[in-house]
Amino acid sequence: MSDTAPTVSKHARDVLDPLTDPGPAVAELDTIVGLSKRRGFIYPSSEIYGGINAVWDYGPLGVELKNNVKRAWWRAMVQERDDIVGLDSGILMAPQIWVTSGHVAEFSDPLVECADCRRRYRLDELPGTESITQADTVDPTVIDRLGLVCPADGGRLSAPRRFNLMLKTFLGPVEEEAAVVYLRPETAQGIYVNFRNVKETSRKKIPFGIAQVGKAFRNEISPGNFVFRMREFEQMEMQYFVHPDRAAEHFDEWLPRRRAWYEAYGVTPARLRTRQHAPDELAHYAKKAVDVEYRFPFGWKELEGVHNRGDWDLGRHMEASGENLEYFDPATEEHFIPWIVETSAGADRAAFTFLLDAYREEEVRGEKRVVLGLHPELAPYKVAVLPLLKKRPEIVEMCHRIKADLQRDVMAVYDDTAAIGKLYRRQDEIGTPWCVTVDVDSLEDGAVTIRDRDAMTQERVSADRVREVIADRMRAARP
Ligand code: GAP
């Protein structure tokens, strides 16, 4: 794997080599932020109250896209696998879990503060920290040694201190230390503490996995880049429980498989790469970590992590809870603590990546056409049903009939608020793979036109076959 996942320090990834850089799909992030707001994919949260930093809300199209991303992940990770089952555990868990997992002690970033403006920064994201080491992040002399100043006003920065990223709240009617619980910063721990329950009820034999999709919360010091780094986000995690001797082998299977998933759903292969964490960068639980990275408009960044967590989690939970979390293999009569190979993706980051990578601008007959070339499985609407003449009630009525039929299988939409050319462009811009147009001839011959978003070809099909044709195309597109 060393050829596909070179060990690179955290900051080396930020250096773009002009000879090999594929460039981003979209040069300016604002293009996607603007489209998302304008077309109802993603809005700033609490906007009418001035917003809340690092939380974003998904609009009518965004919720479809993100649900489709999660569905596609679940299909690949649970539905089509005999060895993986699902779980939906609580966001709030016994607080001791986060002590045992190491998050209370270790899940922190180095925080520095400007003495003048009081702005706070993550030390390792400041300009001038490109070659910083883990040891530097706890060194009180690092600010002077590297000559770092506040990027906003040049003010003096404090020495770094560890800032724990977990959000806290109180459970029950008393607000006191004893009632503190954490909002989970990863969904993984819910899986580990249910390992024995799932093993016993599903009767799975090692190697087997447990998958979960759900919210996670982190009080990030420097969130940003739209939905790339948020304080409330969703994860899609799978924990694969394996024999310790086979962990490396399973790791080597999961990493390319996870990268291939993004490619199967349309992400440009050249904008994906893998990067192995340097030893001083590894999270407290990880023996080995390789990121699948994507070339975002702001550089190569983590899209998903594949981690060998060893027996860290089950071992610690076994010790702290006093419960036996070992696995017994009747074939070899061996008792052991399974090792864990984790695949950990962000649903928001994946949806963001699919949005970015699908965006293209083309010129068609002298006019600009904006297209989201989303994979049909991910597209918010699969079909738009459009009348050529909205003044003819028989045409409108036929459109509604076709749409009602389609809606039983897929998300479909009817639109008659502009001329047909404009209606097509609107659907192109939100990624609808097919438009069905009903015209005057349709009333005579019972046929309609199906227009393809990418090829812009048009095919005449009997109206009562539209649902079947779309179902066939959806099936054909499925990875
Ligand atoms: N259980 C391991 C774990 O949580 P991680 O690398 O911290 O590993 C996994 O996070 C994935 O979760 C990341 O690759 C990213 O896609 C997503 N993620 C993490 N922090 C995020 C944030 N603040 N905003 C959005 N997505 C985030």
Side-chain angles (χ1 to χ4, degrees):
M1 184 157 41
S2 53
D3 53 341
T4 55
T7 305
V8 185
S9 78
K10 196 169 177 193
H11 285 285
R13 68 181 169 195
D14 295 335
V15 180
L16 294 172
D17 177 352
L19 290 177
T20 55
D21 181 19
V26 181
E28 297 298 328
L29 187 56
D30 281 350
T31 309
I32 289 295
V33 178
L35 184 143
S36 295
K37 176 86 198 296
R38 185 161 35 82
R39 300 311 310 272
F41 280 94
I42 302 173
Y43 313 123
S45 182
S46 317
E47 200 180 10
I48 62 168
Y49 284 92
I52 173 172
N53 197 5
V55 185
W56 295 85
D57 295 342
Y58 287 78
L61 298 186
V63 68
E64 295 299 333
L65 171 66
K66 195 159 96 155
N67 280 345
N68 292 341
V69 169
K70 291 186 282 185
R71 228 174 262 136
W73 185 88
W74 198 264
R75 168 189 293 280
M77 302 298 282
V78 180
Q79 186 182 325
E80 292 181 350
R81 301 220 35 131
D82 298 328
D83 54 350
I84 303 180
V85 290
L87 179 77
D88 184 8
S89 67
I91 286 172
L92 303 177
M93 302 200 285
Q96 177 60 37
I97 287 172
W98 303 108
V99 177
T100 307
S101 69
H103 284 78
V104 168
E106 307 273 356
F107 195 59
S108 57
D109 279 337
L111 174 91
V112 295
E113 184 174 310
C114 173
D116 297 336
C117 68
R118 298 272 158 221
R119 282 192 180 85
R120 292 175 162 198
Y121 303 97
R122 227 175 98 167
L123 171 70
D124 55 343
E125 297 209 330
L126 284 172
T129 59
E130 286 70 17
S131 51
I132 203 168
T133 64
Q134 198 60 28
D136 289 329
T137 66
V138 290
D139 175 1
T141 69
V142 69
I143 299 292
D144 291 339
R145 194 157 44 78
L146 299 182
L148 304 174
V149 291
C150 173
D153 61 8
R156 192 173 161 68
L157 293 172
S158 66
R161 67 180 169 88
R162 300 305 301 183
F163 177 77
N164 194 289
L165 301 185
M166 281 199 295
L167 283 147
K168 291 179 190 171
T169 188
F170 299 97
L171 197 64
V174 278
E175 291 196 7
E176 60 182 37
E177 218 27 51
V180 163
V181 289
Y182 301 97
L183 303 186
R184 65 181 177 195
E186 61 170 14
T187 63
Q189 296 300 326
I191 295 180
Y192 306 142
V193 298
N194 277 293
F195 166 71
R196 198 172 61 186
N197 282 338
V198 175
K199 172 173 67 85
E200 284 170 5
T201 52
S202 68
R203 295 190 305 277
K204 290 284 174 205
K205 301 226 173 347
I206 268 175
F208 78 92
I210 305 177
Q212 163 153 248
V213 174
K215 288 265 177 164
F217 302 82
R218 295 183 189 178
N219 201 5
E220 300 280 1
I221 298 171
S222 50
N225 285 327
F226 194 34
V227 293
F228 178 79
R229 192 178 291 142
M230 300 189 281
R231 291 192 171 123
E232 174 180 342
F233 57 100
E234 257 182 301
Q235 288 189 315
M236 308 186 289
E237 296 199 301
M238 193 281 296
Q239 314 297 320
Y240 206 60
F241 298 91
V242 305
H243 189 282
D245 293 348
R246 299 197 55 200
E249 185 187 321
H250 289 295
F251 188 103
D252 289 352
E253 283 165 11
W254 276 109
L255 180 61
R257 193 178 284 146
R258 288 306 306 147
R259 177 184 174 148
W261 182 79
Y262 294 97
E263 292 179 14
Y265 282 97
V267 176
T268 308
R271 290 199 196 95
L272 290 169
R273 72 177 190 187
T274 48
R275 185 187 68 85
Q276 185 167 345
H277 286 210
D280 73 345
E281 193 196 339
L282 286 172
H284 61 274
Y285 53 73
K287 286 195 173 327
K288 176 175 176 177
V290 178
D291 289 343
V292 177
E293 293 191 335
Y294 177 70
R295 174 58 165 97
F296 287 94
F298 38 88
W300 287 99
K301 299 281 175 202
E302 174 183 347
L303 179 55
E304 166 159 356
V306 178
H307 310 131
N308 179 346
R309 297 179 69 130
D311 63 357
W312 167 269
D313 301 279
L314 289 185
R316 302 256 307 185
H317 285 307
M318 184 162 146
E319 203 180 302
S321 66
E323 297 285 334
N324 185 5
L325 302 180
E326 282 182 337
Y327 179 81
F328 174 65
D329 185 343
T332 59
E333 301 207 324
E334 198 185 354
H335 290 267
F336 58 89
I337 297 174
W339 279 31
I340 290 163
V341 174
E342 167 183 65
T343 70
S344 178
D348 310 88
R349 219 174 264 188
F352 181 29
T353 300
F354 289 122
L355 252 184
L356 281 166
D357 211 73
Y359 184 91
R360 59 178 197 264
E361 292 177 7
E362 299 172 349
E363 201 175 295
V364 178
R365 288 184 286 281
E367 274 186 38
K368 182 171 121 176
R369 173 171 104 117
V370 172
V371 188
L372 276 187
L374 288 169
H375 188 284
E377 292 249 320
L378 303 183
Y381 296 125
K382 313 306 175 199
V383 191
V385 185
L386 313 170
L388 200 69
L389 288 174
K390 72 169 176 183
K391 290 200 179 98
R392 294 282 299 266
E394 317 93 283
I395 291 183
V396 172
E397 194 266 332
M398 192 168 172
C399 283
H400 284 302
R401 228 177 325 121
I402 294 170
K403 182 185 165 251
D405 196 31
L406 281 165
Q407 259 173 332
R408 297 167 65 198
D409 293 339
V410 293
M411 286 296 295
V413 64
Y414 169 81
D415 190 6
D416 65 7
T417 56
I420 194 71
K422 195 158 183 192
L423 293 180
Y424 284 153
R425 295 289 174 272
R426 275 190 201 157
Q427 296 302 325
D428 290 342
E429 201 190 26
I430 61 171
T432 309
W434 301 291
C435 288
V436 170
T437 309
V438 178
D439 55 27
V440 180
D441 289 346
S442 308
L443 301 175
E444 299 298 321
D445 63 9
V448 295
T449 302
I450 302 184
R451 177 215 184 237
D452 184 276
R453 175 196 68 199
D454 298 322
M456 289 199 289
T457 47
Q458 307 206 350
E459 192 186 331
R460 206 72 188 159
V461 169
S462 167
D464 49 21
R465 285 198 55 238
V466 168
R467 186 173 164 201
E468 178 192 327
V469 170
I470 296 297
D472 284 348
R473 291 188 183 186
M474 288 295 295
R475 247 193 311 276
R478 186 166 292 157

